[in-house]
Amino acid sequence: MEKDNIAVGLDIGTTKIVAMIGKRNEYGKLEILGVGKSKSLGVARGVVNNITQTIQSIQQAVQEAEADSGYKINDVVVGIAGQHIRSIQHSDYISRHNPEEVIGDADIDLLINQVHKLAMLPGEEIIHVLPQEFKIDGQTEIKEPIGMYGGRLESSFHVVVGQASSIRNVGRCIKSSGLDLSGLTLEPLASADAVLSQEEKEAGVALIDIGGGTTDLAIFKDGIIRHTAVVPFGGNVITEDIKEGCSIIEKQAELLKVKFGSAWPGENKDNEIVSIPGLRGREPKEISLKNLSKVIHARVVEIVEQVFAEIKAYGHEDPRKKLIAGIVLTGGGSQLKHIKQLVEYITGMDTRIGYPNEHLAGNSDEEISSPLYATAVGLVMNSLRNNTRSATPIGEVREPEPVKQPEVATQATATAPVQEMEEVSVENENKEKSSDDSTERKVKKSFFDKYIDRIKEFLDNAE
C-alpha cells in the first residue's frame, strides 16, 4: 500500500508561528491533520531578532501540531518575508552553439546561472529566479521554450533578493528546533497559492497579505508572477498607534482593534463609547469608538497607499498591464472591519477578502479557513508538490530507503541526505519528462534544492 505524502508548512510570522500538517484527500483537496500555533516572540517585521525565543516558539507550535495530529514532524517548508526582501526585473540571453538542436533543460539552466552572476549589494543573495517570458531568435511571448529550435534564447526574469544573514538565521532556528528544512518559499507566493484562482492570475490580480509585522504584495498577470514587494508595516503598528493614542496597554489595544476597530470612522456614531478597566485600582477609561476608528483609519490609509505605490510602480496604469481581477486582501489584517471598502476607495480597484477554503477539504475547521492561515495553507500545498513525507505517525520509525531505485525516488527525496536530494530530483526529471511539469516549476525546484543545500552547508560549517 502506498503511503500518503504528509506535508508540513511552518509560517514564522511577527505575531504568531503556525505549524500545519496536511495531506491530499481522495478528491484532491487539502485535508489538515493538525495545527499548532504559538506567540512569536523573537521576530520583528518578519526578521528573526532573537534566536533563542524563536526556537522556543517554533518548538511550541510544532509540539502542539504533533499532539493535534498524532504525527511526528521531520522536515518543514518555511516561508520567508521581512523588510529585507526586494525584487528586480532583469533580462538576459544566451547564444546557442548549435541552433539545429532542440532547446533543453541545460540551456535554461545556463541562462539562469547567468542571472545568478548579477552584482548584488553587500550581504544580499538571490533567493528566487522566476522566468517570465522567453524569446527565441526575436520571436516573443514564448511560455515554454523546451523542445523548440533557435540560436538565441532570451528571457525576462523576476528576481527576488534578500539578506543572506536573515535567511541563515531562519535556517539556524529550524535546525536548532530539531527539524530539517525541506523548502523555502517567499510568503506572498505561498499566500497566493492558497487564495488565488488561476483565472485571477491570468486576468491580473494584486494579492495584499496584511500580517502582523509586514504587508506583502504579489502581482500576477497572464498567469505569471510580475512583481513582489514587502512593506515594513502591518497590524502591529495599528495596535501601537491605538496604545499611544488612547494611553492604554498593548493587550487592551489589540482587543479594542479586533473587537471594535473599524477602518472607516464615518461608520461610528459620536456617542458610541467603550469602557476599559483601569490598571491596579485606577478608574476605568472611556474611549470613543469614533476616535478609535480615526486612529486606525490614519495608519491603514498609510499602509494601503504604500502598497498602491508599488502597484503603480509595476505599471498598473498601462492598459496592457491592467489588473482586471483587482485586489485580493488576506492575512490577519484583512479581518479589520470596512478595510475592503477603504481599499476600494483609495485604489479604485475591485477588492475581495481571500480565504484559503477553496483548496481545503469540506470538513475543515472553520478557524483554518480564516485569512490568518492563508500563508500556512500555501506552505503545506508547496510541501505537497515536493512529494515529501514530512511527518510520520508517532510510534512509526522511518526506515532508510534505497536512493538509487527509481520507483522510490520521490519518497527518497524526503528522507535522503541533502547531497542526494539533488541527484534524486535530477534523476526523476530525466526519467519522466511529464507534460505538466512546466519550465517554471522545474526551475523553482532545482534552484531551491541548490539553495537549501547551500544554507545547510553553511550551518554545518558554522558549528
Side-chain angles (χ1 to χ4, degrees):
M1 188 182 121
E2 196 183 319
K3 288 177 179 173
D4 287 325
N5 287 328
I6 307 293
V8 183
L10 184 69
D11 174 14
I12 302 176
T14 305
T15 45
K16 66 180 189 327
I17 289 178
V18 177
M20 193 177 273
I21 305 174
K23 66 171 185 177
R24 219 174 269 300
N25 68 9
E26 65 268 36
Y27 307 109
K29 294 286 187 188
L30 183 61
E31 189 181 321
I32 302 300
L33 304 171
V35 179
K37 187 174 149 192
S38 67
K39 194 168 165 49
S40 180
L41 298 170
V43 182
R45 291 190 174 166
V47 179
V48 174
N49 63 3
N50 185 322
I51 294 269
T52 314
Q53 285 186 329
T54 305
I55 291 166
Q56 285 169 358
S57 297
I58 290 171
Q59 286 171 336
Q60 191 184 328
V62 164
Q63 282 162 11
E64 208 176 289
E66 288 177 341
D68 191 25
S69 64
Y71 280 80
K72 173 93 182 78
I73 295 175
N74 305 307
D75 56 73
V76 292
V77 167
V78 179
I80 28 174
Q83 59 195 47
H84 61 93
I85 302 284
R86 66 185 183 95
S87 64
I88 46 177
Q89 296 298 117
H90 177 71
S91 293
D92 222 322
Y93 75 92
I94 53 164
S95 297
R96 301 180 67 236
H97 300 304
N98 186 1
E100 303 303 310
E101 266 184 25
V102 293
I103 293 167
D105 287 343
D107 297 300
I108 306 244
D109 286 343
L110 190 64
L111 185 53
I112 284 162
N113 287 338
Q114 223 160 272
V115 179
H116 283 289
K117 290 172 188 159
L118 272 177
M120 290 290 123
L121 295 172
E124 278 191 336
E125 259 182 32
I126 292 174
I127 302 167
H128 249 310
V129 173
L130 302 170
Q132 308 223 293
E133 275 152 344
F134 291 90
K135 233 191 228 184
I136 300 172
D137 294 342
Q139 183 189 337
T140 58
E141 293 183 10
I142 293 168
K143 288 195 177 173
E144 185 57 273
I146 289 176
M148 298 177 88
Y149 293 96
R152 180 185 162 110
L153 176 65
E154 234 176 300
S155 178
S156 55
F157 291 96
H158 181 75
V159 183
V160 180
V161 180
Q163 284 290 341
S165 56
S166 297
I167 296 154
R168 285 171 183 157
N169 285 340
V170 170
R172 158 65 61 212
C173 293
I174 302 297
K175 192 174 179 186
S176 302
S177 303
L179 303 167
D180 281 336
L181 185 63
S182 66
L184 276 170
T185 301
L186 193 62
E187 291 202 349
L189 297 184
S191 306
D193 280 348
V195 303
L196 297 181
S197 67
Q198 194 52 41
E199 287 87 352
E200 283 176 318
K201 288 181 182 179
E202 288 288 342
V205 66
L207 176 82
I208 302 174
D209 184 347
I210 308 170
T214 58
T215 297
D216 305 334
L217 169 73
I219 296 176
F220 292 84
K221 178 79 178 168
D222 302 326
I224 299 167
I225 180 87
R226 299 293 182 184
H227 188 77
T228 49
V230 178
V231 174
F233 296 113
N236 282 7
V237 283
I238 301 172
T239 307
E240 197 65 32
D241 286 356
I242 297 169
K243 184 178 117 179
E244 299 296 325
C246 302
S247 304
I248 53 177
I249 61 170
E250 197 170 327
K251 200 172 164 187
Q252 293 172 336
E254 183 65 30
L255 272 171
L256 262 185
K257 178 182 81 175
V258 173
K259 281 200 158 164
F260 303 102
S262 161
W264 203 270
E267 286 295 313
N268 296 111
K269 296 183 181 73
D270 292 328
N271 59 356
E272 284 182 306
I273 281 168
V274 64
S275 183
I276 301 272
L279 292 174
R280 220 65 210 261
R282 291 173 181 83
E283 289 292 307
K285 244 191 188 88
E286 290 194 340
I287 288 160
S288 151
L289 289 189
K290 200 171 193 76
N291 288 344
L292 174 71
S293 292
K294 279 179 182 169
V295 171
I296 294 171
H297 174 81
R299 183 59 86 173
V300 174
V301 166
E302 187 189 350
I303 293 171
V304 175
E305 280 177 347
Q306 284 205 34
V307 175
F308 193 38
E310 289 285 350
I311 295 173
K312 284 179 183 161
Y314 148 77
H316 160 65
E317 277 144 12
D318 178 340
R320 286 170 307 164
K321 292 183 169 184
K322 193 163 174 60
L323 303 177
I324 296 162
I327 289 172
V328 175
L329 293 172
T330 193
S334 67
Q335 295 175 299
L336 192 61
K337 280 191 208 88
H338 306 115
I339 193 163
K340 171 185 174 295
Q341 290 85 335
L342 181 64
V343 172
E344 281 180 342
Y345 176 74
I346 293 172
T347 63
M349 295 163 76
D350 285 344
T351 305
R352 75 170 177 91
I353 306 293
Y355 296 89
N357 50 5
E358 187 188 325
H359 301 283
L360 294 172
N363 59 354
S364 295
D365 191 335
E366 198 180 318
E367 194 191 358
I368 296 163
S369 309
S370 150
L372 266 173
Y373 292 100
T375 305
V377 169
L379 291 170
V380 174
M381 289 166 66
N382 198 285
S383 180
L384 275 173
R385 279 202 293 272
N386 298 344
N387 284 332
T388 56
R389 193 153 185 259
S390 300
T392 43
I394 288 171
E396 184 185 306
V397 181
R398 286 205 300 180
E399 293 169 24
E401 290 161 356
V403 178
K404 293 294 173 201
Q405 292 177 17
E407 62 268 21
V408 291
T410 47
Q411 240 168 287
T413 320
T415 53
V418 186
Q419 288 79 7
E420 290 166 305
M421 275 177 72
E422 206 168 272
E423 291 168 22
V424 175
S425 63
V426 169
E427 206 171 278
N428 273 12
E429 274 174 25
N430 293 345
K431 281 197 169 57
E432 338 163 352
K433 286 265 189 274
S434 60
S435 56
D436 63 331
D437 207 5
S438 69
T439 304
E440 189 183 344
R441 178 73 51 84
K442 270 186 248 177
V443 165
K444 249 195 235 181
K445 252 172 151 178
S446 66
F447 170 64
F448 267 122
D449 281 354
K450 287 176 198 163
Y451 192 76
I452 289 161
D453 284 0
R454 269 166 48 208
I455 289 181
K456 289 190 176 185
E457 200 181 312
F458 173 81
L459 292 172
D460 291 341
N461 293 342
E463 285 185 343

